[in-house]
Amino acid sequence: MTDIIQLLPDNIANQIAAGEVIQRPASAVKELLENAVDAAATHIQLIVADAGKNLVQVIDNGKGMSETDARMSFERHATSKIKAIDDLFHIKTMGFRGEALASIAAVAQVELKTRRAEDTLGTYIEIENSVVKKQEPCACPVGTNICMKNVFFNVPARRNFLKSNAAELRHIVDEFIHVALAFPNIFFSLTSNGQQVFHLEAGNLKQRILQILGNQYASKIVAVKEETDYMNIYGFVGKPDTARKTRGEQYFFVNNRFIRSAYLNHAVMSAYDEMIAKDSFPLYVLYIDLDPSQVDINVHPTKQEIKFEDEKIMYAFVQAAVKHALAQFSIAPSLDFTLNPEIQQLEAINKPFTAEKEQSAVSSSLFKTFTQKHQAHLIEPNQKSELKHWKEFFVERETTNGKRESEESIETLSPDIQQSFQPQTKNHKLQTETAFQLHNTFIIVASEKGFFLMHQQSAHERILYERYSTAAFGKKIAAQQSLFPVTIELAASDSVLLNDLLPDLHMLGYLIEPFGNNTFVIQGTPADVLQGNEKNSIELLLEQFKHFNSEIKFSKREKLVRCMSRQQSIKAGQSLTQKEITTLIEELFACKVPNTTPNGNPTYIEFKDDYLERMFGR
Ligand SMILES: Nc1ncnc2c1ncn2[C@@H]1O[C@H](COP(=O)(O)OP(=O)(O)OP(=O)(O)O)[C@@H](O)[C@H]1O
Ligand SMILES: [Mg+2]
């Protein structure tokens, strides 16, 4: 019998191997963006057409390639990033396999223009199906400009397997966001079918996160930062009320590489403990930097799954770091500085694999920070029911009142308020006669066990929010008729918006009638609005509402209520009479959720006697 085994031709072998690396246009996006980052670019543009099916182009201002390197870059296993097997354990670049460009060239038509700063002319290469079609010198800026056209043109089965443009574009945006979040100091833009989707100026990490997630998160994320000999963790986590029902904005980066890890995700979730509802997901963008020898990124072709040398320590550190951040930024408004043995009891720290590991864990600076130096880290959870889940609280109230009233009324609050609900102050005996105003902004009032520091604007926002919510979702607020009805003329788009809001505004005490031609007559306003100020208040409200519009998770009514409570609230800097101060305190503590503003900032901070004593070393 004749022999039957043959070597596959290069282009077929390449195509098969490419299947691992390039599964869809978004895979090419990831590889090309990472190459640009590795080339030390500071300005990276991504251009796609038809969700990348017809074009994925990346233009960078990085170091470019020589003529020979440009040609070599498309060979399989051709890389400038590692030289020996040992280098694999010290990788500082995103790429190391030398497979990405070879894979792309195996399944698409590729055009490359590249020039180094030291060369006068650059190189142009056209390659398709792993075959070079053209190579010539060309004039081009320093950096690299690479196009992948008609992906899978030569593998129709794969091309047909691609999803709808919307789905493929979603994958592309995800990959783009991962790289952009990992490198905030680099400019990135994304243009899809001629429309700019992202334009991200270089900046710091917080700026980059807000550019991507939206500015509305500015006051809703808290910084995480722990440095140890073994590893550093930094980034941001959402306050409990940013938790959503869908798993969305959760990002982990290890040595600047986006990774998926159910295990570390669990560590973060457990740090939120009972602060969020069981089936909701908090936002987080966390970065872990550690010695590359402690991770193996070579376990998956797309490098998104990695293996840690010591997983348990990772878990414990991540969980502790997030807990610390949440506690430090007084997510629970009361500052309670009692020691909590919980962290020391973590299995990972308590029972490391070996005595040696135990020693290294215990001597690591993070562990020490958590056990000795700043005892504030060790915040006692749930003691005195402070962080008890809101539902449990209502069960308690139900039995004491014998009624179900509370459970129903909480339903009228928006879901994220329900989640942030931390009942705790109903029983505080506040001595309102001691209350006084500081800097026309804060109110200080003694309690039985210490004192409360309250922010007058935040407190009033909460009061109005609950009042308007009740009105908007049920009991209408009475309008006060204006003596002199005011006419207001608006731009066409504002007029459409106002028309849309009229029924809700009516519930909130505004009597407004459309008069045709983008004109409206204000017949009455809620009692809180000063007479003579009607026109201004409507204009302001529309303006704020438009800004709020990016928050798609809120209903129209919820947005309106939030805008109105912010707009009508007493501002910082306003002097208050003693009577007003007392009313403010009483009304705040009559609220269902007195301790936070509608968007989750604290309305007050409680200072307890024992903590105060301790501050003085007593
Ligand atoms: N945008 C770029 N600017 C400069 N050099 C580049 C660029 N893209 C690729 N290269 C060069 O081409 C080589 C091959 O790139 P390729 O992406 O195929 O492999 P890699 O990045 O080394 O590893 P990996 O397959 O893990 O991505 C790189 O090692 C680099 O030297
Ligand atoms: Mg690469």
Side-chain angles (χ1 to χ4, degrees):
M1 223 181 13
T2 51
D3 300 329
I4 50 170
I5 298 181
Q6 293 180 15
L7 272 181
L8 283 174
D10 268 1
N11 61 338
I12 297 184
N14 281 348
Q15 251 181 42
I16 294 171
E20 297 261 295
V21 182
I22 307 297
Q23 290 152 355
R24 49 170 25 103
S27 333
V29 164
K30 172 181 190 291
E31 296 299 337
L32 297 179
L33 290 178
E34 289 187 350
N35 280 351
V37 169
D38 284 345
T42 56
H43 192 279
I44 300 176
Q45 291 166 269
L46 167 63
I47 298 164
V48 299
D50 293 319
K53 292 173 185 170
N54 291 340
L55 173 73
V56 172
Q57 180 174 21
V58 172
I59 306 172
D60 71 52
N61 65 349
K63 61 183 181 213
M65 285 178 263
S66 70
E67 193 188 338
T68 320
D69 284 352
R71 176 62 194 81
M72 268 299 276
S73 69
F74 292 105
E75 292 296 328
R76 190 157 294 282
H77 313 306
T79 180
S80 56
K81 300 172 191 175
I82 60 172
K83 294 197 166 63
I85 190 71
D86 255 11
D87 298 344
L88 256 187
F89 305 101
H90 311 283
I91 289 167
K92 295 246 160 60
T93 50
M94 305 302 285
F96 55 84
R97 305 156 306 181
E99 294 208 3
L101 292 188
S103 301
I104 291 173
V107 295
Q109 297 154 342
V110 179
E111 287 172 31
L112 167 78
K113 271 189 205 163
T114 185
R115 180 164 80 86
R116 300 181 303 175
E118 59 262 47
D119 301 332
T120 25
L121 273 184
T123 306
Y124 174 81
I125 292 182
E126 239 181 74
I127 183 166
E128 82 176 38
N129 208 0
S130 304
V131 180
V132 178
K133 296 268 159 183
K134 202 188 251 181
Q135 172 161 5
E136 61 192 26
C138 75
C140 61
V142 171
T144 300
N145 180 337
I146 184 163
C147 289
M148 177 187 82
K149 293 183 175 165
N150 299 320
V151 68
F152 302 136
F153 80 101
N154 52 351
V155 206
R158 281 200 162 238
R159 189 156 174 107
N160 294 338
F161 172 79
L162 293 178
K163 301 239 167 62
S164 70
N165 279 8
E168 293 297 340
L169 190 61
R170 187 66 237 164
H171 286 293
I172 289 178
V173 169
D174 283 348
E175 296 293 356
F176 175 86
I177 287 178
H178 297 160
V179 181
L181 279 176
F183 299 95
N185 52 348
I186 299 179
F187 168 94
F188 286 95
S189 70
L190 165 55
T191 307
S192 165
N193 289 343
Q195 279 221 319
Q196 196 164 61
V197 185
F198 284 101
H199 179 101
L200 309 174
E201 294 294 347
N204 63 28
L205 182 56
K206 183 162 186 185
Q207 288 163 338
R208 178 57 52 90
I209 291 174
L210 294 179
Q211 285 169 333
I212 290 174
L213 302 186
N215 260 326
Q216 70 271 21
Y217 283 106
S219 61
K220 297 184 176 172
I221 54 178
V222 298
V224 175
K225 188 168 168 56
E226 303 292 347
E227 296 187 348
T228 75
D229 302 340
Y230 184 71
M231 66 181 207
N232 299 335
I233 301 185
Y234 60 96
F236 290 87
V237 294
K239 294 182 181 175
D241 71 338
T242 60
R244 299 207 191 165
K245 292 287 172 216
T246 55
R247 187 190 296 272
E249 285 124 358
Q250 301 189 326
Y251 304 95
F252 254 117
F253 298 85
V254 172
N255 294 346
N256 284 335
R257 206 181 283 284
F258 170 79
I259 58 142
R260 298 179 199 280
S261 164
Y263 189 66
L264 294 186
N265 176 62
H266 190 272
V268 178
M269 294 298 285
S270 69
Y272 279 83
D273 212 11
E274 297 188 337
M275 281 186 245
I276 57 174
K278 282 280 171 286
D279 51 350
S280 66
F281 304 94
L283 160 171
Y284 61 80
V285 188
L286 289 172
Y287 300 76
I288 297 174
D289 287 348
L290 77 171
D291 183 345
S293 65
Q294 296 295 308
V295 281
D296 183 0
I297 40 185
N298 207 11
V299 292
H300 194 266
T302 64
K303 308 168 190 152
Q304 284 193 355
E305 280 163 35
I306 62 175
K307 253 184 93 57
F308 294 106
E309 206 38 42
D310 189 336
E311 291 215 300
K312 290 189 174 183
I313 292 283
M314 297 295 290
Y315 187 99
F317 283 175
V318 167
Q319 186 199 42
V322 174
K323 269 196 176 186
H324 176 198
L326 290 174
Q328 203 185 31
F329 288 85
S330 54
I331 298 309
S334 133
L335 294 177
D336 191 340
F337 281 63
T338 23
L339 275 175
N340 176 8
E342 194 186 21
I343 289 167
Q344 290 98 305
Q345 278 167 5
L346 275 172
E347 209 179 68
I349 288 181
N350 208 14
K351 296 183 203 144
F353 307 142
T354 60
E356 192 193 332
K357 281 195 175 150
E358 178 169 9
Q359 195 45 44
S360 80
V362 169
S363 60
S364 84
S365 46
L366 179 69
F367 185 85
K368 283 189 184 143
T369 325
F370 275 95
T371 49
Q372 298 160 12
K373 263 194 277 166
H374 310 297
Q375 302 190 339
H377 296 181
L378 306 170
I379 294 215
E380 185 111 313
N382 305 348
Q383 202 196 26
K384 307 172 201 102
S385 88
E386 275 180 359
L387 294 180
K388 232 188 224 174
H389 195 263
W390 63 271
K391 277 185 181 145
E392 291 170 32
F393 175 70
F394 281 100
V395 173
E396 259 172 38
R397 294 235 329 206
E398 242 173 77
T399 48
T400 45
N401 295 353
K403 278 192 279 179
R404 285 187 47 85
E405 42 108 6
S406 24
E407 200 149 18
E408 279 149 26
S409 52
I410 197 79
E411 230 76 283
T412 62
L413 294 176
S414 73
D416 71 332
I417 293 298
Q418 294 183 20
Q419 280 157 19
S420 72
F421 188 78
Q422 295 163 4
Q424 55 182 331
T425 44
K426 303 279 176 190
N427 304 324
H428 286 295
K429 297 229 167 51
L430 288 177
Q431 292 146 12
T432 46
E433 69 284 1
T434 65
F436 63 95
Q437 202 185 12
L438 187 69
H439 300 313
N440 287 341
T441 300
F442 302 102
I443 291 169
I444 294 182
V445 55
S447 65
E448 227 176 19
K449 293 199 229 111
F451 69 88
F452 281 67
L453 176 64
M454 189 181 287
H455 192 281
Q456 66 189 40
Q457 183 173 350
S458 303
H460 198 216
E461 254 184 68
R462 160 55 60 190
I463 297 168
L464 292 179
Y465 173 75
E466 294 202 2
R467 187 182 302 159
Y468 294 149
S469 296
T470 323
F473 296 95
K475 205 166 127 259
K476 180 170 171 285
I477 286 192
Q480 66 177 354
Q481 288 275 347
S482 302
L483 285 179
F484 308 103
V486 183
T487 311
I488 174 172
E489 207 189 313
L490 298 171
S493 60
D494 285 354
S495 147
V496 174
L497 176 62
L498 184 57
N499 257 318
D500 196 33
L501 294 176
L502 281 183
D504 292 312
L505 281 168
H506 192 67
M507 295 297 284
L508 292 165
Y510 279 98
L511 298 178
I512 301 175
E513 281 168 20
F515 212 69
N517 256 347
N518 303 331
T519 307
F520 297 80
V521 180
I522 308 175
Q523 305 277 9
T525 55
D528 297 323
V529 176
L530 281 182
Q531 295 261 328
N533 201 20
E534 300 90 341
K535 195 169 158 206
N536 206 357
S537 89
I538 287 292
E539 279 168 353
L540 258 176
L541 197 62
L542 290 177
E543 204 43 49
Q544 285 187 348
F545 191 84
K546 280 187 278 183
H547 283 291
F548 228 103
N549 246 343
S550 53
E551 298 225 23
I552 34 176
K553 68 175 169 167
F554 294 129
S555 69
K556 195 169 66 172
R557 215 170 251 197
E558 175 70 21
K559 281 186 212 162
L560 196 61
V561 166
R562 284 174 178 239
C563 288
M564 268 188 66
S565 27
R566 189 166 317 160
Q567 195 202 332
Q568 304 292 334
S569 60
I570 297 167
K571 301 294 179 298
Q574 193 171 324
S575 159
L576 302 178
T577 64
Q578 197 61 35
K579 175 91 184 59
E580 285 168 333
I581 293 175
T582 314
T583 314
L584 193 71
I585 299 170
E586 283 169 1
E587 289 191 352
L588 179 66
F589 288 110
C591 284
K592 294 193 187 90
V593 189
N595 56 346
T596 61
T597 62
N599 49 15
N601 292 324
T603 51
Y604 64 82
I605 296 172
E606 183 186 3
F607 291 82
K608 292 186 177 167
D609 275 354
D610 48 353
Y611 164 58
L612 294 170
E613 292 277 345
R614 228 174 304 151
M615 272 175 52
F616 290 99
R618 301 263 153 197

